[in-house]
Amino acid sequence: GLRGNKTWSPAWRQPEPKPHYDVVIVGGGGHGLATAYYLAKEFGITNVAVLEKGYIGSGNVGRNTTIIRSNYLLQGNNPFYELSMKLWEGLEQDFNFNAMVSQRGVLNLFHSDAQRDAYTRRGNAMRLHGVDADLLDKAAVQKMLPFLDYNNARFPIQGGLLQKRGGTVRHDAVAWGYARGADMRGVDIIQNCEVTGIRRENGKVTGVETTKGFIGCGKLGLAAAGNSSRVAEMAGLKLPIESHVLQAFVSEGLKPFINGVVTFGAGHFYVSQSDKGGLVFGGDIDGYNSYAQRGNLATVEHVAEAGKAMIPSLSRVRVLRSWGGIMDMSMDGSPIIDRTHLDNLYLNAGWCYGGFKATPASGFCFAHLLARGTPQETATAFRLDRFARGFMLDEKGQGAQPN
Ligand code: FAD
């Protein structure tokens, strides 16, 4: 430490691309890196490259509000998110890196009888899937979070659905941990390498055009999150996805007062407190389609209003910074992990504003699909053609809240 970082060796290499790989993954976000890690570690496929147009962690994996949970209702979603939760629980030991996995609880507030019934149903579905869920009444919430506005006539807090095993994880450390684990097993992580075209011959992908030249591949996996439509278009695919901005905010540091994650059920607002003391919060997506990584002031105002309705004392807190990320919004709120019309082209997309919590399971299931050609058992519903067949998984971001 006293010698600065001069003697430190980089946590992953900076290799030049080889002419050909067994598997190429487009996108060095959480999902692309996790896929490469599990391909190498669980399926023994190590001749793999992850191509990232910027630096790893520059996309949503380093921009999200770090919430993890598995409080889903539908059969097609719940087992997958619970697999992810179980992988989170062992992740730091597995990839030997501190990702600050903190299971401090996620509480969704409800404000009406109808919402209470919906949350009760969700909690029951979770329990039937073996996932922890507790329904709290107003007194229990008040004991936990005395500073919420319980006198608000418009949005009376009646209680909340708590998942104690939910919580937060340091997002960029997840990218670093997976990158390091993949790299040490032989995966090439190639940064500043934008994919600009997908070369095809006789119904198969032969490789990708990039800013570092042509790279051939046996299989191509797309994990470009907010840019999924743009990348898929290079292979003639039109995705049922729109890209929107989601903003997030961090306040000045305050003494610890919010232990877990709390979501407002009567509008779009959620908040947690980082170990440094800053409140980390956000709301809904900006309404218009965009590939810009910044949002507009109307949404900032909406988030501030909803936050104040839930915690009146927020009006005195100063915001330090805000930012935005591009969300790959699928039409039913659920993701896609599937093969495509091209024999060796595979797609991982449609994570909306909730893909961080899915990172370990998404990587594991995508690696399973790439390695074995069949979906992993918890990811069988994430089919690309479900919109055409009418088999939608209509579960938008959970309850009234994103993330
Ligand atoms: P990314 O990190 O975006 O990875 C995709 C990568 O592909 C990028 O690095 C990009 O540069 C690269 N790429 C794109 N095009 C190309 C190309 N042509 N060539 C090469 N590389 C390319 N989810 C939760 O579960 N909990 C939360 O609390 C939460 N909060 C959020 C808050 C905000 C403000 C935002 C923006 C998102 C939030 N999310 C949350 C959603 C979550 O972050 C995303 O769903 C998830 O990170 C997407 O997967 P990823 O990590 O692989 O994406």
Side-chain angles (χ1 to χ4, degrees):
L2 292 175
R3 282 187 287 155
N5 59 10
K6 292 198 183 77
T7 56
W8 296 3
S9 48
W12 52 87
R13 297 163 297 126
Q14 306 277 351
E16 283 305 312
K18 293 192 258 181
H20 189 275
Y21 292 91
D22 292 340
V23 180
V24 163
I25 294 161
V26 184
H31 294 222
L33 293 165
T35 304
Y37 173 80
Y38 292 117
L39 269 176
K41 179 166 179 282
E42 301 296 333
F43 299 97
I45 299 174
T46 55
N47 186 21
V48 176
V50 178
L51 310 183
E52 168 52 48
K53 72 173 174 181
Y55 59 91
I56 61 168
S58 55
N60 292 337
V61 70
R63 290 168 181 267
N64 63 72
T65 40
T66 79
I67 299 165
I68 63 165
R69 56 181 171 79
S70 57
N71 54 359
Y72 282 73
L73 170 76
L74 297 181
Q75 170 65 31
N77 274 328
N78 189 294
F80 170 83
Y81 285 99
E82 179 56 12
L83 169 68
S84 214
M85 183 59 82
K86 293 210 167 83
L87 290 169
W88 283 121
E89 284 169 337
L91 186 66
E92 292 161 303
Q93 302 303 324
D94 186 63
F95 65 21
N96 192 22
F97 200 81
N98 184 5
M100 297 167 70
V101 177
S102 172
Q103 292 178 284
R104 50 175 102 173
V106 172
L107 177 70
N108 303 130
L109 299 175
F110 57 80
H111 309 259
S112 66
D113 291 353
Q115 211 172 24
R116 180 203 55 217
D117 292 352
Y119 281 20
T120 308
R121 180 169 173 238
R122 177 145 60 100
N124 284 335
M126 289 162 65
R127 286 189 167 212
L128 286 171
H129 281 111
V131 180
D132 67 305
D134 292 287
L135 198 71
L136 306 187
D137 62 11
K138 181 177 165 186
V141 173
Q142 205 157 5
K143 199 166 165 213
M144 248 175 98
L145 302 163
F147 46 83
L148 303 185
D149 185 358
Y150 295 92
N151 299 317
N152 191 316
R154 196 164 162 214
F155 310 119
I157 296 170
Q158 291 192 8
L161 182 66
L162 174 68
Q163 186 184 17
K164 287 188 188 135
R165 286 164 61 241
T168 57
V169 180
R170 180 168 173 188
H171 49 9
D172 37 18
V174 175
W176 303 333
Y178 277 127
R180 179 173 167 273
D183 173 272
M184 66 173 55
R185 289 171 174 82
V187 171
D188 284 355
I189 295 163
I190 301 165
Q191 303 182 82
N192 301 311
C193 180
E194 180 169 359
V195 171
T196 53
I198 297 178
R199 214 184 267 182
R200 290 167 278 164
E201 257 170 49
N202 304 324
K204 282 188 88 151
V205 171
T206 53
V208 286
E209 315 286 351
T210 80
T211 45
K212 291 186 188 248
F214 177 76
I215 302 173
C217 63
K219 290 179 181 175
L220 183 64
L222 307 183
N227 283 286
S228 291
S229 303
R230 294 216 275 213
V231 177
E233 204 177 12
M234 297 175 196
L237 254 179
K238 195 164 186 300
L239 298 183
I241 282 177
E242 285 185 7
S243 289
H244 287 257
V245 182
L246 179 67
Q247 303 188 59
F249 309 84
V250 166
S251 79
E252 60 187 326
L254 303 167
K255 71 176 182 189
F257 77 110
I258 302 180
N259 193 34
V261 179
V262 194
T263 75
F264 187 44
H268 290 286
F269 180 79
Y270 63 95
V271 63
S272 66
Q273 189 169 17
S274 79
D275 290 341
K276 283 194 289 186
L279 300 182
V280 181
F281 60 95
D284 202 3
I285 49 173
D286 282 36
Y288 54 92
N289 295 17
S290 173
Y291 288 109
Q293 287 178 316
R294 59 168 182 230
N296 71 21
L297 277 174
T299 304
V300 178
E301 189 182 10
H302 177 83
V303 170
E305 275 175 12
K308 243 188 85 224
M310 185 171 106
I311 309 176
S313 53
L314 275 191
S315 62
R316 299 201 302 276
V317 175
R318 282 167 292 200
V319 171
L320 275 195
R321 59 183 186 276
S322 70
W323 63 91
I326 313 163
M327 316 285 61
D328 39 335
M329 304 299 294
S330 66
M331 292 300 105
D332 60 359
S334 297
I336 298 158
I337 302 180
D338 204 358
R339 312 177 72 118
T340 68
H341 67 301
L342 295 177
D343 232 15
N344 55 348
L345 179 68
Y346 298 77
L347 178 67
N348 177 317
W351 295 99
C352 303
Y353 27 53
F356 177 63
K357 71 179 77 62
T359 306
S362 167
F364 184 79
C365 294
F366 201 37
H368 185 288
L369 182 68
L370 281 158
R372 303 215 171 133
T374 52
Q376 200 272 347
E377 59 181 334
T378 65
T380 54
F382 300 155
R383 300 286 306 276
L384 176 57
D385 67 356
R386 68 178 184 268
F387 304 96
R389 291 183 301 120
F391 280 85
M392 271 161 305
L393 266 179
D394 200 353
E395 194 163 9
K396 290 194 183 109
Q398 254 339 292
Q401 297 308 318
N403 309 305

